[in-house]
Amino acid sequence: MNNFVTALLVGLWVTWAIIDEQTLQLQTTRPIITGPVVGLICGDLQTGLIVGATVELMFLATIFVGTAVPPDPTLSSAIATALAIYSGRGVDIAVATALPVALIGQVVTTLQYSVVNVAFLHLADRKAENGDTKGLVRTAWYPLIVNLIFYGLPTFLAVYYGAQYVTNIIDAIPEKIITGLAVGGGMIGSVGFALLLTTIKSKNLWPFFLVGLISATYLKINNIGIGLIAVMCVALYLEITKKRGAK
Amino acid sequence: MSRNERLNKSDLAKVYRRQFLIRAGLNFERQQCVGFTAALTPLIDKYYTDKEEKRQVMLRHMNLFLSQPMVASLPIGVALAMEERIALENDIDPEAVNSVKTALMGPLAALGDSLINGTLRPLVAGIAITMAQQNNILGPILFLIVMSFTTLFVRYIGIYKGYEKGVEVVEDIHKSGLIEKLTDIASIAAYVIVGGFIPGVVSMVLNISFTTGDNVLSIQEQLDGLMPGLLPVILTLVMYNLISKRKVSTIALMFGLMILGIVGVYLGIF
């Protein structure tokens, strides 16, 4: 497949994923899905899988709390995957590009919610004033079409032009900076977890943090096992509180 | 004439499909109000033909509404039941619909954010990552299936239960201590997962060693002997402190860590 078609398909996938996030929420926006899909489009599923998993780790716990828009994981994992494949340098390049792109995505999203969608809101107000139900439903759809310009087009351009110049650009960057960015990328997962910790409501239950920690470190239990331990803790908690309530 | 009948199966199915628009027009002025009103349009079209009547119903739902998009289906279902009652019996104050929406959206948002976005998704993603790293494509597929089922099912329950129970939902939720219980469950699961995932997800490895005589003493090996993954945990707790106590923005922290990474590599620490 030539570059143009590939870039076009990646742009369309990103547009779809963002629309999914704003409607169905099947979570195709997440790097763990977008990475492999873009890998498949670019002809290297394996790199897509690894990049998807790595970028997912960076943004695993970074969630949309209230109205604070988080860094955008979709643009970021799509472009990072494409560049990792085209440069032939794999995960390091992906991690180095993921955060800057995610921040650009965050700016785009903020602009969308604070300016573009406010304009659509006022259009919807006029439809409501006229008692026009069909018009209102149509107006709810318009912001979805805008995603093509806000997310699809930039992705297309980044992948199309990025693919041609990425090797030159990356060769111009000192090796130590790329390594440093990869090291930093390994650490930024901590910000998401910290953010998640701040959202936990029942702080008195913190000993369960140690349950997870000890299982992973000393007992070397993997993520699947950690999930089962979480289920077990919740089940035990329900059973114990039920007994107490019955007394 | 259908105007005197209750909502039928196909009306409810239409509302179920339209509530997927809840987040479509998300904006920082009145958040999800366009999607909320759009979800109720099948009801408005069924009971009202007059423009003025339609206008009144639509305008009262154009007030600010913000919840987690999946659990927002419950207030939609409740509003549906109340609006149906207003259209058929007209024995509820229309303003009560807004009070009920407001009473539900906050607690539900907190619950949806912590149970779904903060616990279930990271958990399933963590499992999918482990599989993906072993080149297993089933990881992402599993993630997609579980999350798709969650969003479709939660919204189904929300619309249909909300409609069936109506205003009772508000009482039910506050009386039974359901919110408190679910909050505790979400907290326990989130703590286990955060504690359990940090050592594998966050990576911070020191590259410093000392030579004493013939022995090379690696700091990282010493730390691993104490507790594997100690540095990632400390790093996360420092970040937690900076976010909760010092109110540092997460973006500033992410940038800071990237710079720390570069500086660290130049200094030979990492």
Side-chain angles (χ1 to χ4, degrees), chain A residues 21-28 30 32-33 36 45-46 49-50 53 56-57 59-60 62-64 66-67 69 71 95 99 103 106 110 113-114 117-118 121-122 124-125 127-133 136-137 140-141 143-144 174 176-177 179-181 183-191 193-198 200-203 205-206 208-209 212-213 216-218 220 222-224 226-227 229-230 233-234 237-238 241, chain B residues 18 20-21 23-31 33-34 37-38 41 44-45 51 54-55 58-59 62 66 69-70 110 113 117-118 121-123 125-133 135-137 140 143-144 147-148 151-152 155 181 183-185 187-199 201-204 226-229 233 235-237 239-240 243-244 250-251 253-255 257-258 260-262 265-266 270:
Chain A
E21 177 62 15
Q22 296 173 357
T23 54
L24 297 169
Q25 301 198 310
L26 308 178
Q27 310 291 334
T28 51
R30 298 303 302 180
I32 190 73
I33 304 293
L45 177 62
Q46 191 156 344
L49 255 181
I50 300 298
E56 182 70 48
L57 284 178
F59 299 116
L60 186 66
T62 317
I63 57 171
F64 201 151
T67 55
V69 177
V95 174
L99 184 65
L103 293 175
Q106 183 186 30
T110 309
Y113 295 164
S114 58
N117 284 5
V118 170
L121 169 71
H122 295 153
D125 280 338
K127 303 289 179 195
E129 279 291 347
N130 294 330
D132 179 3
T133 46
L136 184 109
V137 174
W141 277 96
L144 299 176
K176 277 193 173 173
I177 289 196
T179 315
L181 286 171
V183 169
M187 294 192 288
I188 74 168
S190 65
V191 179
F193 283 119
L195 188 68
L196 199 54
L197 284 175
T198 62
I200 295 180
K201 292 280 180 328
S202 315
K203 295 273 194 276
L205 295 169
W206 67 269
F208 285 101
F209 178 79
L213 188 62
T217 53
Y218 295 114
K220 310 240 177 284
N222 72 6
N223 289 352
I224 302 169
I226 297 293
I229 289 173
C233 289
V234 166
Y237 169 84
L238 286 177
T241 49
Chain B
R18 287 235 170 114
F20 285 106
L21 289 170
R23 198 186 176 289
L26 184 77
N27 63 78
F28 288 157
E29 194 179 304
R30 269 170 282 145
Q31 309 291 347
C33 69
V34 181
T37 314
T41 51
I44 301 171
D45 284 335
K51 287 238 163 192
K54 284 190 182 188
R55 171 176 172 270
M58 286 165 89
L59 283 182
M62 291 298 280
L66 176 64
M70 295 178 202
D113 277 338
N117 301 347
R121 196 183 65 200
L123 171 65
I127 292 168
I129 288 168
T130 309
M131 294 167 79
Q133 283 170 337
N135 266 322
N136 189 346
I137 189 72
F143 176 82
L144 188 63
M147 295 316 294
S148 300
T151 175
L152 299 177
R155 290 170 199 256
K181 195 157 223 177
T183 307
D184 277 356
I185 290 176
S187 303
I188 291 174
Y191 271 132
V192 174
I193 289 160
V194 173
F197 278 12
I198 289 172
V201 170
V202 183
S203 85
M204 190 180 188
L226 206 59
M227 184 176 118
V233 174
L235 180 70
T236 307
L237 294 178
M239 294 296 130
Y240 172 69
I243 294 173
S244 62
T250 49
I251 304 308
L253 292 175
M254 286 181 167
F255 259 121
L257 287 176
M258 291 308 245
L260 181 68
I262 295 171
V265 167
Y266 271 97
F270 297 125

Side-chain angles (χ1 to χ4, degrees), chain B:
Chain B
M1 182 95 194
S2 66
R3 287 192 63 176
N4 302 317
E5 291 166 6
R6 297 197 63 192
L7 294 169
N8 58 31
K9 258 190 185 161
S10 93
D11 296 327
L12 288 175
K14 244 186 240 167
V15 174
Y16 176 70
R17 286 199 300 273
R18 287 235 170 114
Q19 53 93 30
F20 285 106
L21 289 170
I22 185 79
R23 198 186 176 289
L26 184 77
N27 63 78
F28 288 157
E29 194 179 304
R30 269 170 282 145
Q31 309 291 347
Q32 300 159 339
C33 69
V34 181
F36 199 104
T37 314
L40 295 180
T41 51
L43 174 139
I44 301 171
D45 284 335
K46 183 182 175 96
Y47 293 125
Y48 304 99
T49 42
D50 181 47
K51 287 238 163 192
E52 177 55 31
E53 289 176 323
K54 284 190 182 188
R55 171 176 172 270
Q56 279 181 8
V57 186
M58 286 165 89
L59 283 182
R60 70 167 164 264
H61 288 286
M62 291 298 280
N63 288 331
L64 183 138
F65 182 85
L66 176 64
S67 199
Q68 198 267 0
M70 295 178 202
V71 295
S73 55
L74 190 67
I76 294 175
V78 174
L80 199 64
M82 294 178 81
E83 284 293 350
E84 181 195 71
R85 180 120 189 155
I86 292 170
L88 295 177
E89 320 269 340
N90 201 15
D91 58 354
I92 313 180
D93 175 15
E95 276 315 300
V97 188
N98 270 321
S99 332
V100 168
K101 278 165 64 177
T102 314
L104 284 173
M105 68 184 197
L108 283 176
L111 211 61
D113 277 338
S114 57
L115 270 176
I116 300 170
N117 301 347
T119 308
L120 181 68
R121 196 183 65 200
L123 171 65
V124 183
I127 292 168
I129 288 168
T130 309
M131 294 167 79
Q133 283 170 337
Q134 292 153 1
N135 266 322
N136 189 346
I137 189 72
L138 286 178
I141 292 172
L142 174 86
F143 176 82
L144 188 63
I145 292 172
V146 173
M147 295 316 294
S148 300
F149 175 77
T150 305
T151 175
L152 299 177
F153 183 70
V154 167
R155 290 170 199 256
Y156 181 86
I157 294 290
I159 296 288
Y160 286 83
K161 276 283 162 199
Y163 172 69
E164 187 193 313
K165 296 224 155 194
V167 200
E168 281 174 50
V169 166
V170 185
E171 267 180 63
D172 281 3
I173 281 178
H174 287 288
K175 245 192 216 157
S176 60
L178 189 69
I179 295 269
E180 288 77 11
K181 195 157 223 177
L182 287 172
T183 307
D184 277 356
I185 290 176
S187 303
I188 291 174
Y191 271 132
V192 174
I193 289 160
V194 173
F197 278 12
I198 289 172
V201 170
V202 183
S203 85
M204 190 180 188
V205 179
L206 293 183
N207 191 20
I208 316 170
S209 49
F210 297 103
T211 319
T212 51
D214 292 339
N215 292 331
V216 180
L217 187 69
S218 154
I219 298 288
Q220 187 61 46
E221 275 172 26
Q222 298 297 314
L223 289 172
D224 284 344
L226 206 59
M227 184 176 118
L230 184 63
L231 286 176
V233 174
I234 293 174
L235 180 70
T236 307
L237 294 178
V238 170
M239 294 296 130
Y240 172 69
N241 199 288
L242 290 173
I243 294 173
S244 62
K245 303 268 156 59
R246 303 269 164 93
K247 309 283 173 213
V248 183
S249 83
T250 49
I251 304 308
L253 292 175
M254 286 181 167
F255 259 121
L257 287 176
M258 291 308 245
I259 292 166
L260 181 68
I262 295 171
V263 173
V265 167
Y266 271 97
L267 294 178
I269 299 173
F270 297 125

Side-chain angles (χ1 to χ4, degrees), chain A residues 151-207:
Chain A
Y151 300 91
L153 187 66
T155 308
F156 166 77
L157 294 175
V159 174
Y160 186 61
Y161 291 104
Q164 296 173 357
Y165 303 114
V166 64
T167 340
N168 295 337
I169 295 169
I170 285 161
D171 286 346
I173 303 172
E175 196 60 34
K176 277 193 173 173
I177 289 196
I178 293 182
T179 315
L181 286 171
V183 169
M187 294 192 288
I188 74 168
S190 65
V191 179
F193 283 119
L195 188 68
L196 199 54
L197 284 175
T198 62
T199 65
I200 295 180
K201 292 280 180 328
S202 315
K203 295 273 194 276
N204 56 322
L205 295 169
W206 67 269

